[in-house]
Amino acid sequence: MQTSLLMQLLQALDDGQLKVVDLTTPLGPDTVVIDLPPIFASSPGVTITKISRYDSDGPGWYWNTINMGEHTGTHFDAPVHWITGKDLPQNTTDKIPPRKFIGPACVIDVSGDVSLFEDFLLTIERVEAWEASYGKVPAGAWVLLRTDWSKRKGRDAFLNVREDGAHSPGFHRTCSEWLAKERDVLGVGVETVGTDAGQAGTFDPPFPNHHFMHMNGKFGLASLVNLDQLPPTGAIVIAAPLKLVDGSGSPLRVLAITP
Ligand code: 23J
Ligand code: MN
């Protein structure tokens, strides 16, 4: 019997031909938030306070109030987040067309390089080498940078801040601009706290990945986990931010469906 595409998808999930991989880190008081230089305002950590828990404040129900910055934990960066994207159409979390919340994943594994050099930056040449093996990055894809950075446990190891600032991998400015313009990606996703390298505040322009991605209407995903469970190609990513009115981003659940 002919079943619909969507019913075939569910059947494949049930029989194990496809699986769901959770690319999201737990969101709670221990979630590590970016540490900008003290001259800039900082984003607060996560606080969760009880409204009631089957008690006199609500005898039959449990619920909490949550407080955090938009860019906390596994989160989405909208184009309006950066000044270069501030005047683009449909640049906020409530206005992005929902079709853009799902796309194919191109996973570039640079974990070996990063284990040797914390400040590793992805270059155009490196993506072209990946393309020689796996094919051209298609328009509308998420480029996910697998660094294994999410395996670093604890705030100090994860942020890796020294006297001269944070040290963590990212993208060379030319690569960010090329992925946005020449490959027309949906955006980039990373395992680090933000989509720019730790030292990117010192680059020209500062934070070049944010600068070029958001200038071109592209998105970011930060603090992803489990990228080591994805194939280089063949998975799809579902990343739908909260529909915050005028939002610059939001925490979200990021799911991959993999063969
Ligand atoms: C503000 C300023 C610099 C950076 C960031 C935010 C992020 O990484 C972010 O979460 O978008 S680098
Ligand atoms: Mn962000």
Side-chain angles (χ1 to χ4, degrees), residues 34 36 71 75 77 81-82 193-196 207 210 222:
I34 195 169
L36 293 178
H71 297 252
H75 75 270
D77 290 352
H81 178 43
W82 220 253
V193 74
T195 63
D196 263 293
F207 307 108
H210 283 81

Side-chain angles (χ1 to χ4, degrees), residues 65-94:
T65 298
I66 56 177
N67 186 76
M68 69 195 75
E70 291 173 324
H71 297 252
T72 302
T74 299
H75 75 270
F76 183 99
D77 290 352
V80 76
H81 178 43
W82 220 253
I83 191 167
T84 51
K86 75 182 181 62
D87 297 319
L88 294 178
Q90 302 176 319
N91 61 357
T92 57
T93 47
D94 56 328

Side-chain angles (χ1 to χ4, degrees), residues 151-233:
K151 296 178 183 173
R152 289 176 166 241
K153 295 303 163 204
R155 189 174 191 278
D156 290 353
F158 186 65
L159 292 180
N160 202 32
V161 176
R162 300 205 283 269
E163 297 89 279
D164 62 345
H167 290 269
S168 57
F171 301 85
H172 193 275
R173 53 167 289 167
T174 56
C175 187
S176 297
E177 188 170 27
W178 180 84
L179 286 171
K181 291 185 174 167
E182 304 302 325
R183 290 296 178 269
D184 195 20
V185 296
L186 273 180
V188 295
V190 299
E191 296 179 49
T192 46
V193 74
T195 63
D196 263 293
Q199 288 287 296
T202 70
F203 297 174
D204 182 20
F207 307 108
N209 187 71
H210 283 81
H211 180 101
F212 289 113
M213 283 292 148
H214 300 328
M215 168 183 277
N216 291 287
K218 310 308 186 188
F219 312 137
L221 292 171
S223 295
L224 297 172
V225 299
N226 294 332
L227 295 186
D228 58 354
Q229 296 182 33
L230 302 183
T233 63

Side-chain angles (χ1 to χ4, degrees), residues 1-257:
M1 192 186 96
Q2 176 74 27
T3 52
S4 75
L5 267 179
L6 287 171
M7 295 307 117
Q8 287 178 46
L9 167 65
L10 292 175
Q11 188 61 50
L13 289 167
D14 282 340
D15 65 25
Q17 291 184 75
L18 295 175
K19 56 181 200 225
V20 177
V21 177
D22 191 353
L23 306 185
T24 319
T25 199
L27 185 62
D30 295 334
T31 298
V32 178
V33 175
I34 195 169
D35 206 11
L36 293 178
I39 54 162
F40 302 119
S42 62
S43 186
V46 175
T47 53
I48 300 180
T49 55
K50 176 173 66 79
I51 302 171
S52 72
R53 193 160 192 162
Y54 332 119
D55 51 21
S56 60
D57 291 322
W61 48 94
Y62 167 50
W63 53 351
N64 297 310
T65 298
I66 56 177
N67 186 76
M68 69 195 75
E70 291 173 324
H71 297 252
T72 302
T74 299
H75 75 270
F76 183 99
D77 290 352
V80 76
H81 178 43
W82 220 253
I83 191 167
T84 51
K86 75 182 181 62
D87 297 319
L88 294 178
Q90 302 176 319
N91 61 357
T92 57
T93 47
D94 56 328
K95 296 283 167 36
I96 296 166
R99 173 65 186 89
K100 294 194 172 187
F101 297 150
I102 180 161
C106 294
V107 182
I108 303 181
D109 181 2
V110 298
S111 58
D113 306 75
V114 172
S115 71
L116 300 172
F117 181 45
E118 296 169 330
D119 297 302
F120 174 85
L121 301 179
L122 188 72
T123 59
I124 297 171
E125 294 69 35
R126 188 59 187 270
V127 181
E128 286 175 335
W130 182 95
E131 287 183 328
S133 301
Y134 304 111
K136 187 173 172 179
V137 173
W142 281 108
V143 170
L144 304 181
L145 187 63
R146 177 182 163 198
T147 56
D148 287 348
W149 203 262
S150 61
K151 296 178 183 173
R152 289 176 166 241
K153 295 303 163 204
R155 189 174 191 278
D156 290 353
F158 186 65
L159 292 180
N160 202 32
V161 176
R162 300 205 283 269
E163 297 89 279
D164 62 345
H167 290 269
S168 57
F171 301 85
H172 193 275
R173 53 167 289 167
T174 56
C175 187
S176 297
E177 188 170 27
W178 180 84
L179 286 171
K181 291 185 174 167
E182 304 302 325
R183 290 296 178 269
D184 195 20
V185 296
L186 273 180
V188 295
V190 299
E191 296 179 49
T192 46
V193 74
T195 63
D196 263 293
Q199 288 287 296
T202 70
F203 297 174
D204 182 20
F207 307 108
N209 187 71
H210 283 81
H211 180 101
F212 289 113
M213 283 292 148
H214 300 328
M215 168 183 277
N216 291 287
K218 310 308 186 188
F219 312 137
L221 292 171
S223 295
L224 297 172
V225 299
N226 294 332
L227 295 186
D228 58 354
Q229 296 182 33
L230 302 183
T233 63
I236 65 171
V237 169
I238 303 167
L242 296 179
K243 203 165 184 170
L244 293 171
V245 175
D246 203 30
S248 78
S250 97
L252 78 173
R253 195 74 179 249
V254 181
L255 302 178
I257 302 178

